Amino acid sequence: PPPLSAAAFSCRRYVAGGECKSTAKLEGKVAIITGANTGIGKETARDLARRGKVIIACRDLGKAEAAASEIRAETGNQQVIVKKLDLADTKSIREFAEKFLAEEKELHILINNAGVMLCPYSKTADGFEMHLGVNHLGHFLLTFLLLECLKQSAPARIVNVSSLAHHGGRIRFHDLHGEKSYNRGLAYCHSKLANVLFTRELARRLQGNCPGLLSFAIGTKVTANALHPGSVYSELVRHSFVMTWLWKIFSFFLKTPREGAQTSVYCAVAEELDSVTGQYFSDCQPAYVSPRGRDDETAKKLWSVSCELLGIQWD
């Protein structure tokens, strides 16, 4: 291709955003990444595979195995393992956790990356609206099932991939599953706000219920942070013909999946985040959270409603 003009190059660099500079190695450490067979999840797995052991947790085993063998060949790391996980089915989530805990002694990084976007109205195997079910409840249950392992392996990190779209979300407790009214764009926004609120409340509980972000030492040494990866050219918009078309036209102004993965990697490995928890990042730096995303009462209520829906007790 012809060389980029200076203006185009500057524009492209601006779009690329922040880059994770950390060279931290993860020898002897284990990371799980959900939805790592494509897009930013795959690029996150590629980066972490240069540092340590990676478990790719995906619904589509064929795609996941293809991604894993590509990453193994490129990084020379044979410790890139594929496991079946369907976040739209709590039975699959429980089976995944059970197998993982039977086979692995430790877990140091859990990246809740998988997501659906702009789905036509549909429900998960358990009757949850698809965006809320996969993006929030599926990861909520997965984190619950793996938390003891994370605590025992501490220091450990939980990284929740949210989105700038959380600004457009609200938690509609009166109609959580969109049965009264449904808009697929808003349903995505609501689920991304749920990611931010879950991260906030989880961080608070892991700190030993201390107000604010008090001394890390009195908590569990497990951190939980959320992030916005940026507007990324990926398969996430596949359910919308219009968005797919727009994404193609404006691809120059979108991050590549590798660029979009940088903040996930940063939250997972950067040494300066060792004791940072309950925060929200974009472009590898702290970012603004919407007022709804800072509402502790809503976060607490969402937590208890999520536990009820999933039939778990998480105190």
Side-chain angles (χ1 to χ4, degrees):
L4 287 175
S5 72
F9 181 72
S10 303
C11 173
R12 195 59 215 110
R13 276 193 62 174
Y14 175 76
V15 168
E19 191 165 355
C20 177
K21 305 276 194 230
S22 170
T23 56
K25 289 288 177 208
L26 303 173
E27 285 114 343
K29 297 199 171 179
V30 180
I32 291 176
I33 308 169
T34 68
N37 58 357
T38 184
I40 66 169
K42 181 179 172 185
E43 294 306 320
T44 304
R46 194 192 304 274
D47 184 292
L48 294 195
R50 294 194 176 97
R51 305 168 191 260
K53 181 171 183 173
V54 176
I55 291 169
I56 290 178
C58 294
R59 189 184 67 224
D60 186 328
L61 288 180
K63 269 190 177 178
E65 205 39 79
S69 59
E70 181 191 312
I71 292 168
R72 283 185 214 116
E74 191 181 310
T75 62
N77 180 2
Q78 295 311 302
Q79 295 281 41
V80 180
I81 294 156
V82 171
K83 301 274 182 208
K84 169 95 171 160
L85 171 67
D86 183 355
L87 287 156
D89 184 350
T90 58
K91 188 167 171 278
S92 171
I93 299 167
R94 288 180 180 280
E95 281 170 4
F96 169 86
E98 213 173 286
K99 281 184 185 158
F100 173 82
L101 296 170
E103 290 165 13
E104 299 288 340
K105 301 269 186 295
E106 295 186 309
L107 175 60
H108 305 88
I109 298 166
L110 172 61
I111 303 181
N112 291 319
N113 163 84
V116 293
M117 181 181 181
L118 304 174
C119 303
Y121 189 77
S122 56
K123 286 187 169 178
T124 68
D126 302 271
F128 309 140
E129 185 276 316
M130 192 59 74
H131 293 91
L132 184 81
V134 171
N135 298 355
H136 168 60
L137 291 169
H139 283 128
F140 187 94
L141 178 60
L142 180 66
T143 306
F144 167 74
L145 295 169
L146 298 175
L147 191 62
E148 274 315 305
C149 186
L150 284 156
K151 284 180 182 175
Q152 285 161 19
S153 313
R157 301 186 187 192
I158 298 162
V159 178
N160 293 325
V161 179
S162 179
S163 167
L164 184 68
H166 85 270
H167 286 272
R170 55 175 28 166
I171 306 301
R172 301 165 72 247
F173 290 108
H174 66 287
D175 188 24
L176 267 183
H177 303 295
E179 286 158 333
K180 294 176 187 161
S181 71
Y182 180 74
N183 173 298
R184 54 192 187 165
L186 288 176
Y188 177 71
C189 296
H190 302 332
S191 72
K192 294 288 111 182
L193 173 60
N195 293 154
V196 171
L197 292 168
F198 168 45
T199 305
R200 190 176 180 86
E201 180 63 9
L202 177 59
R204 187 184 73 81
R205 287 164 177 260
L206 290 170
Q207 288 294 93
N209 293 324
C210 301
L213 301 177
L214 285 181
S215 167
F216 187 52
I218 53 185
T220 56
K221 286 195 164 30
V222 179
T223 62
N225 291 298
L227 66 103
H228 167 55
S231 298
V232 181
Y233 190 68
S234 75
E235 288 177 26
L236 197 56
V237 295
R238 65 186 173 274
H239 291 293
S240 166
F241 171 76
V242 174
M243 287 291 278
T244 304
W245 184 70
L246 287 171
W247 248 222
K248 279 203 170 101
I249 291 175
F250 294 107
S251 60
F252 183 81
F253 300 101
L254 296 170
K255 291 187 179 193
T256 64
R258 188 195 160 276
E259 290 161 355
Q262 293 303 304
T263 307
S264 296
V265 173
Y266 175 73
C267 289
V269 305
E271 297 90 337
E272 63 268 32
L273 299 188
D274 275 349
S275 55
V276 173
T277 192
Q279 301 297 302
Y280 171 76
F281 293 86
S282 177
D283 280 327
C284 301
Q285 57 191 10
Y288 180 73
V289 177
S290 75
R292 286 196 189 109
R294 299 194 300 269
D295 185 330
D296 289 330
E297 287 316 302
T298 305
K300 289 186 179 102
K301 187 175 176 185
L302 177 65
W303 185 282
S304 64
V305 168
S306 300
C307 287
E308 259 170 64
L309 288 168
L310 293 162
I312 60 175
Q313 275 193 302
W314 189 356
D315 300 319

